Amino acid sequence: MISLGLVGLGKIARDQHLPAIARSADFTLCAVASRNARADGVPAYPDLDALLAREQAVEAVVLCQPPQVRHAAARAAMAAGRHVFLEKPPGATLSEVEDLVEAAGRAGVTLFASWHSRFAAGVEPARSWLAGRRIEGITIEWKEDVRQWHPGQDWIWQPGGLGVFDPGINALSILTRLLPGTIRLEDAELQFPANRQAPIAARLQMRVANGTPVEAEFDWRQTGRQSWNITIHTDAGALLLADGGNSLFVEGAAQALPGESEYPAMYDHFAALIAERRSDVDASPLRLVADAFLIGRRSFTEAFHD
Ligand code: NAP
């Protein structure tokens, strides 16, 4: 068993990481570092430095804080010889992700920059089905209610918090897993609430190296039914990945899939990476988001209040 420390005991840590660690055959939770929260049955520290200093047996840490503060924590953990599992996105900037890759190499530890949506049940079956078929076009619709999924979170609206790209990057992580080769951003429109530093809606036009067009629409103002869909038109019909990748339809027919287990699968992968002394870092979804901030036309919409 690998002794694990968890940092940033917020929504995703409670909803997904703690249950997945409890089920894991490879990891034992030994300590938590969080400024305002503690988990039952394990020592609590106010920050990572205190945890690292006192918990010499901890071999790996999972970082579940907002992206703006994860780089410094990942650096400190790796310099102290610990393996690191990063929540998505892997950083607030591309250059800090590159810096972490170099730091992991220097320290000889595993760095796993996770993309949980890549572990959704339909993604690998979709990838297999698409192999050998000609893809003619892709549309992505990722629309959810920010008040339901990010209640009271301020960091998502701050610089580096990504705004609607915080969920939208999950779609891009699936897209970049399904399609080999470079996907290029051609055009983007971003809508910012008048009182916020991050967009509430975005539209992207991308193109795969072979010319296939990809259109994506992200919106955080959707109430009622939520949409996390990727539709792929091919020479053999349309494939729909729905429910964030956890449902799969081919020409409208539902495909049998195992149940949703994104986080347990990520802990299995992290254990395998540590055993193989490898890292897994792919910044391509974050690069598309960075490009949208670079060339996207900006417009301003009504102020957002929680
Ligand atoms: P969250 O509920 O705000 O939790 C993050 C925790 O990090 C906070 O509770 C806070 O705990 C700690 N923290 C440390 N420094 C902080 C700072 N400067 N500002 C705010 N909090 C700070 O956020 P979350 O929804 O769990 O998201 C965390 C990461 O997981 C994000 O990168 C997000 O994209 C990713 N993620 C979230 C979801 C989801 O459904 N929510 C799903 C997948 C991935 P203390 O105050 O106790 O230190």
Side-chain angles (χ1 to χ4, degrees):
M1 293 294 267
I2 301 166
S3 305
L4 185 73
L6 182 147
V7 187
L9 191 53
K11 186 171 187 324
I12 197 61
R14 288 189 190 283
D15 289 357
Q16 296 289 349
H17 288 270
L18 292 183
I21 296 164
R23 280 176 51 186
S24 171
D26 301 298
F27 293 96
T28 317
L29 185 68
C30 290
V32 164
S34 212
R35 301 164 308 176
N36 300 296
R38 37 197 317 137
D40 292 339
V42 294
Y45 297 94
D47 56 46
L48 175 65
D49 288 343
L51 184 156
L52 293 174
R54 294 285 300 279
E55 299 285 340
Q56 296 298 325
V58 163
E59 294 164 78
V61 294
V62 55
L63 302 183
C64 303
Q65 320 95 304
Q68 295 100 325
V69 297
R70 263 193 260 119
H71 172 258
R75 265 292 208 134
M78 293 193 292
R82 273 51 170 232
H83 307 292
V84 170
F85 178 160
L86 285 176
E87 250 302 345
K88 46 75 39 173
T93 67
L94 285 165
S95 50
E96 70 182 32
V97 179
E98 285 170 21
D99 180 66
L100 292 184
V101 170
E102 288 173 15
R106 275 196 303 276
V109 298
T110 289
L111 175 63
F112 174 32
S114 68
W115 296 109
H116 66 88
S117 292
R118 287 186 175 177
F119 291 81
V123 173
E124 290 310 310
R127 200 160 169 259
S128 305
W129 189 86
L130 289 168
R133 295 192 158 96
R134 196 179 68 245
I135 299 174
E136 292 164 350
I138 301 176
T139 54
I140 298 172
E141 186 193 37
W142 225 254
K143 297 180 179 177
E144 62 176 49
D145 182 354
V146 63
R147 291 186 174 88
Q148 180 179 347
W149 301 102
H150 297 276
Q153 291 180 356
D154 201 39
W155 61 264
I156 54 172
W157 296 110
Q158 300 295 330
L162 297 192
V164 75
F165 289 106
D166 177 76
I169 202 167
N170 296 332
L172 300 176
S173 75
I174 295 176
L175 176 73
T176 48
R177 173 71 187 153
L178 292 180
L179 300 192
T182 301
I183 300 170
R184 186 167 48 88
L185 186 85
E186 289 190 330
D187 191 47
E189 290 172 37
L190 312 179
Q191 281 186 45
F192 286 71
N195 60 341
R196 302 287 177 161
Q197 295 284 324
I200 196 165
R203 217 182 249 276
L204 310 187
Q205 279 180 25
M206 295 164 276
R207 201 167 289 278
V208 185
N210 65 5
T212 306
V214 184
E215 295 202 348
E217 207 175 331
F218 303 150
D219 205 316
W220 245 350
R221 297 165 296 191
Q222 175 130 316
T223 52
R225 190 176 164 76
Q226 309 285 282
S227 318
W228 297 290
N229 300 326
I230 301 178
T231 306
I232 305 182
H233 300 279
T234 77
D235 57 349
L239 176 146
L240 167 64
L241 264 175
D243 300 326
N246 283 299
S247 301
L248 178 63
F249 300 84
V250 174
E251 285 289 84
Q255 307 295 300
L257 294 176
E260 183 175 334
S261 71
E262 296 173 16
Y263 279 78
M266 289 204 293
Y267 276 94
D268 291 347
H269 184 58
F270 187 38
L273 290 171
I274 292 171
E276 294 162 18
R277 306 176 69 85
R278 286 196 300 124
S279 288
D280 176 359
V281 181
D282 176 12
S284 59
L286 184 61
R287 187 177 306 115
L288 287 168
V289 173
D291 281 357
F293 278 96
L294 278 173
I295 65 162
R297 287 184 301 286
R298 291 167 189 236
S299 60
F300 294 90
T301 181
E302 64 183 291
F304 176 86
H305 300 287
D306 267 330

